[in-house]
Amino acid sequence: MSTPPVSRPLAHRSADEILDALDPDQRDVAVALRGPVCVLAGAGTGKTRAITHRIAYGVRTGVYVPTSVLAVTFTARAAGEMRTRLRELGATGVQARTFHAAALRQLGYFWPKVVGGAPPRILEHKAPVVAEAARRLGVGVDRVAVRDLSSEIEWAKVSLVTADDYVRACEAIDREPPAGYDHQTVARLLTAYEDVKTERSVIDFEDVLLMLGDMLATQGTVADEVRRQYRHFVVDEYQDVSPLQQFVLDQWLGGRDELCVVGDPSQTIYSFTGATPHHLLTFSRTHPKAQVIRLVRDYRSTPQVVNLANQLLARAGRAGGAHQALELVAQRPAGPPVAFTAYDDDEAEASGIAQRIGRLLAAGTRASEIAVLYRTNAQSEAFESALADAGIGYLVRGGERFFQRKEVRDAIVLLRGAARSADPDVPMPETVRDVLAAAGWAPAPPAARGAARERWESTQALVALADDVAGLAAASDAPAPTVATFVAELDERAAAQHAPTVEGVTLASLHAAKGLEWDAVFLAGMSEGLMPISLAETDEAVAEERRLLYVGITRAREHLELSFARSRNPGGRATRRRTRFLDGLWPDEPGVRGTRRARAGQSKVRLTGEYDQALFEELREWRRQVAQETDKPAFTVLVDSALAAVAETRPTSQADLARINGLGPAKIERYGATILEIVRRAEG
């Protein structure tokens, strides 16, 4: 029997060994070292693995000088993960940062040379300046209005819309101003906001990008220095790039095409902040010589989860999607079926989910591998209460940042002091445990819940991170880390807001869940008005809500449960309807597994999913007109699945209509004759 090869530390692997760790499509990404390159990567397809191995392969083969590579992404967590992986692969010296962090570093470096003195202070929050600007204009504002106006100012700036252009730009795209204000007032506020900032000698986060972009565009010596430094660029989550970020990227490139972009249009969920998939969707037109590579092998989720995600987007395509969605191919073994549950009320939904989480924990799933996701932050309270009542620890994502917690700040102070006197013969993780034990940490969690449990979870996360750092050093054949190196790691993570994993069930909005994944995901509140949100009044807004649900579904590795409550309060009227996005997918309704369920003994028509697209669009236009005339949402007239069934079966009588799910006696009486006439016209 032959001896299996000894696994070499990642950092010591050869160029060929770096490629051996990839599938064929990821390998195509890794060997495409010269730009332009566009990677269309579906959820769970290993895009971070592909691009970090691409950079490492370029470094190992000598094509890239590490310090000449700048990789940018959108969150500190993603940038931190990228840096960790590059370090594991031996690609030290590569810069992996968020757009803002990279721009801030460059602006801070060049400001003294170009302008003189230190850069202006950066506003942490716009609210005080927005309130002052409104006061000067005599515009009445409250806390909610200040928040909404701050968001509108941010949108204008990242969209490169000035105060002078604001009214025209909003009218061109039919963008409504914040509630209670008109476009002219907001335009005046934009000017006043900039005036107040200038008087206070402060800038906001958008100014960092604006000022750097302008500096690069107008100062040739600055642009030359940056372009000599950075010759190869990688942009992750490119579907979320804003016009302002694209402007800065264009200045970095300076006409060169050594650019690799990675993204998925189906995960565009931040258009309200100015993000747009336009640059990703038009990349091949902007760069005619671009190599386009698709990653569709999903390593994250079970076939059951992947199938639901694919079907969700396929239905969007039937309704006339803006792009061809990537169809994921599951690589994992089969898992449990996706669960769908309708509860009587919100309280019952929260309690039921807490019970399901309790069973998962008892079966061995870690709390940190479970998430409850919802559309709005206001929904979290019910789940916090239900989990607390069940004695289950949790953390609300989007709350206080990990490194800002008092117990974490105190622990780092103690560790920094211990670094000066630590016994070099004692392993670093043991010293960390001893130091934190003196501050109240214990190997077992406290029986109490609430604040005491949260403090323990925070310090336990530091202990676990110490073990991870030591383990990583051993795996890469690096010197054993000291307490000083561990503190340096904490400082670096704090600067990047790259928090360690805290053991507790995650409660998060769907937007906050982007880029994360868990073994078990509960998608709660899947009812009309929440999904899609009632504020989504245009086709584009509803399409984005569908993509948001797709993001939520694809966060789950193995267990996925979707639920909604029929009423808000116990004993209330069951007036809620589950989301239209799950028409034909909810298992107790017709349309699942390709058949229509019989009702009242009458056989329903079998559907193949092949239908006349032109007839379907004509039916949609009729439905839109009816909805407009009756001032009702379009789905209350007829749902898309019913329209698709009509376009497929081409009914010629009311008896034929009665065999289509979604067309009951009342709807046939009201709309039947018109639908049959539309079908007859289509037959020509």
Side-chain angles (χ1 to χ4, degrees):
M1 227 177 130
S2 62
T3 304
V6 178
S7 178
R8 301 178 65 191
L10 288 174
H12 294 171
R13 291 183 183 178
S14 67
D16 287 342
E17 287 174 319
I18 289 174
L19 296 181
D20 289 343
L22 306 175
D23 72 25
D25 297 330
Q26 293 169 345
R27 187 187 180 101
D28 287 344
V29 175
V31 299
L33 297 178
R34 295 296 188 184
V37 179
C38 178
V39 182
L40 298 175
T45 57
K47 66 180 179 65
T48 304
R49 182 182 187 84
I51 58 178
T52 52
H53 279 66
R54 176 183 184 268
I55 294 170
Y57 182 69
V59 170
R60 192 57 52 89
T61 55
V63 177
Y64 300 159
V65 175
T67 54
S68 73
V69 181
L70 177 60
V72 290
T73 188
F74 284 79
T75 68
R77 183 183 182 88
E81 181 183 354
M82 195 179 295
R83 281 195 298 273
T84 299
R85 293 198 189 191
L86 289 169
R87 189 164 54 199
E88 291 174 354
L89 291 166
T92 56
V94 174
Q95 293 295 310
R97 299 179 179 275
T98 64
F99 262 104
H100 275 93
L104 183 60
R105 191 178 191 211
Q106 292 177 24
L107 189 68
Y109 177 78
F110 288 111
W111 188 277
K113 300 180 179 181
V114 177
V115 182
R121 180 174 60 86
I122 299 177
L123 275 175
E124 287 193 23
H125 305 287
K126 289 185 174 67
V129 177
V130 173
E132 171 62 18
R135 186 191 64 77
R136 293 186 181 186
L137 295 176
V139 175
V141 292
D142 56 16
R143 184 175 57 83
V144 174
V146 168
R147 181 196 64 195
D148 291 346
L149 289 168
S150 297
S151 297
E152 188 68 3
I153 289 170
E154 182 175 331
W155 171 83
K157 297 187 75 166
V158 302
S159 302
L160 298 178
V161 174
T162 65
D164 292 339
D165 295 333
Y166 177 79
V167 175
R168 184 168 54 254
C170 289
E171 290 174 349
I173 62 174
D174 200 25
R175 181 181 178 87
E176 292 293 327
Y181 303 96
D182 56 47
H183 287 124
Q184 291 288 354
T185 299
V186 177
R188 291 168 54 223
L189 186 72
L190 284 168
T191 300
Y193 171 78
E194 295 299 329
D195 290 341
V196 175
K197 281 198 297 124
T198 300
E199 291 173 14
R200 297 185 180 184
S201 299
V202 295
I203 60 175
D204 58 28
F205 283 103
E206 292 74 48
D207 290 328
V208 173
L209 293 171
L210 282 165
M211 289 178 169
L212 177 66
D214 181 69
M215 193 178 286
L216 292 170
T218 60
Q219 303 291 323
T221 56
V222 173
D224 290 343
E225 187 171 346
V226 171
R227 292 166 190 164
R228 282 196 303 270
Q229 172 72 46
Y230 297 116
R231 299 180 179 276
H232 307 278
F233 295 85
V234 178
V235 183
D236 192 14
E237 303 288 3
Y238 194 56
Q239 78 278 349
D240 288 331
V241 75
S242 68
L244 174 55
Q245 289 162 333
Q246 183 64 45
F247 170 64
V248 173
L249 178 61
D250 289 341
Q251 302 313 310
W252 281 338
L253 285 165
R256 298 169 297 174
D257 60 6
E258 287 301 324
L259 172 64
C260 173
V261 300
V262 189
D264 178 8
S266 296
Q267 296 187 66
T268 304
I269 59 173
Y270 296 111
S271 65
F272 61 92
T273 67
T276 170
H278 170 77
H279 302 291
L280 177 63
L281 292 171
T282 60
F283 192 82
S284 294
R285 292 203 296 271
T286 307
H287 304 274
K289 296 181 180 179
Q291 183 175 350
V292 179
I293 304 167
R294 290 171 171 80
L295 300 183
V296 297
R297 292 180 173 89
D298 187 316
Y299 297 96
R300 175 188 299 160
S301 305
T302 62
Q304 288 79 2
V305 174
V306 169
N307 182 54
L308 179 63
N310 282 337
Q311 288 188 68
L312 181 76
L313 291 188
R315 278 162 169 74
R318 291 173 192 168
H323 66 276
Q324 183 63 45
L326 295 169
E327 183 172 355
L328 302 175
V329 181
Q331 303 298 301
R332 291 188 58 179
V338 176
F340 301 79
T341 308
Y343 293 94
D344 289 337
D345 52 70
D346 287 348
E347 185 177 312
E349 182 178 27
S351 177
I353 288 175
Q355 291 175 22
R356 287 288 300 117
I357 290 173
R359 289 196 286 271
L360 285 171
L361 293 172
T365 303
R366 293 175 55 188
S368 59
E369 290 297 346
I370 302 173
V372 181
L373 307 180
Y374 35 76
R375 178 61 180 84
T376 68
N377 288 323
Q379 294 170 263
S380 73
E381 184 177 356
F383 299 105
E384 292 180 53
S385 178
L387 290 172
D389 289 344
I392 298 171
Y394 65 86
L395 61 119
V396 181
R397 187 165 182 83
E400 185 182 23
R401 289 182 174 181
F402 179 84
F403 288 102
Q404 292 175 345
R405 298 174 188 172
K406 183 179 185 303
E407 63 271 19
V408 174
R409 289 187 279 111
D410 291 346
I412 293 176
V413 170
L414 292 173
L415 289 170
R416 187 168 282 115
R420 294 191 290 268
S421 58
D423 186 341
D425 295 327
V426 177
M428 179 271 289
E430 286 188 31
T431 303
V432 170
R433 281 172 167 79
D434 290 342
V435 171
L436 297 183
W441 171 83
R449 63 187 190 217
R453 178 63 183 245
E454 289 181 7
R455 287 193 296 270
W456 183 86
E457 298 285 8
S458 296
T459 50
Q460 173 61 24
L462 295 176
V463 170
L465 181 61
D467 291 339
D468 291 344
V469 170
L472 177 60
S476 60
D477 204 22
T482 64
V483 178
T485 57
F486 180 61
V487 170
E489 171 78 12
L490 291 175
D491 288 341
E492 181 180 334
R493 283 173 169 262
Q497 288 301 325
H498 182 204
T501 301
V502 176
E503 196 59 37
V505 174
T506 299
L507 302 178
S509 70
L510 286 162
H511 282 100
K514 179 73 172 67
L516 304 175
E517 59 187 78
W518 296 269
D519 284 346
V521 170
F522 294 83
L523 296 177
M526 295 292 105
S527 59
E528 288 290 324
L530 288 172
M531 177 52 66
I533 196 76
S534 58
L535 298 174
E537 298 177 342
T538 65
D539 289 344
E540 292 80 6
V542 171
E544 180 146 330
E545 292 288 299
R546 183 187 291 270
R547 295 195 296 268
L548 187 59
L549 177 55
Y550 173 79
V551 167
I553 290 171
T554 55
R555 299 310 94 196
R557 298 192 191 104
E558 185 173 2
H559 303 277
L560 176 62
E561 300 195 13
L562 297 91
S563 62
F564 79 101
R566 294 189 178 94
S567 68
R568 180 175 182 179
N569 299 312
R573 292 183 59 193
T575 57
R576 284 181 179 163
R577 176 187 179 276
R578 59 115 186 93
T579 174
R580 74 193 80 167
F581 296 149
L582 296 176
D583 285 348
L585 299 175
W586 198 269
D588 64 354
E589 294 182 353
V592 178
R593 300 182 185 89
T595 64
R596 302 292 175 182
R597 187 176 63 180
R599 188 164 57 198
Q602 183 183 29
S603 116
K604 292 287 182 179
V605 66
R606 286 182 178 271
L607 298 174
T608 66
E610 300 291 331
Y611 60 88
D612 186 325
Q613 182 69 37
L615 176 55
F616 177 78
E617 292 299 332
E618 190 170 349
L619 289 164
R620 284 188 80 222
E621 176 58 21
W622 160 77
R623 182 184 65 178
R624 187 192 66 77
Q625 293 175 5
V626 172
Q628 190 173 30
E629 291 167 1
T630 58
D631 196 28
K632 293 180 178 178
F635 72 87
T636 64
V637 179
L638 279 181
V639 295
D640 277 355
S641 57
L643 298 183
V646 171
E648 179 177 335
T649 61
R650 294 175 174 271
T652 59
S653 66
Q654 292 199 354
D656 290 341
L657 289 174
R659 298 180 65 230
I660 294 175
N661 179 68
L663 278 166
K667 290 193 184 290
I668 291 175
E669 181 180 354
R670 189 176 307 146
Y671 307 125
T674 303
I675 293 172
L676 292 174
E677 177 58 26
I678 293 172
V679 173
R680 276 194 292 271
R681 287 203 308 266
E683 293 287 354

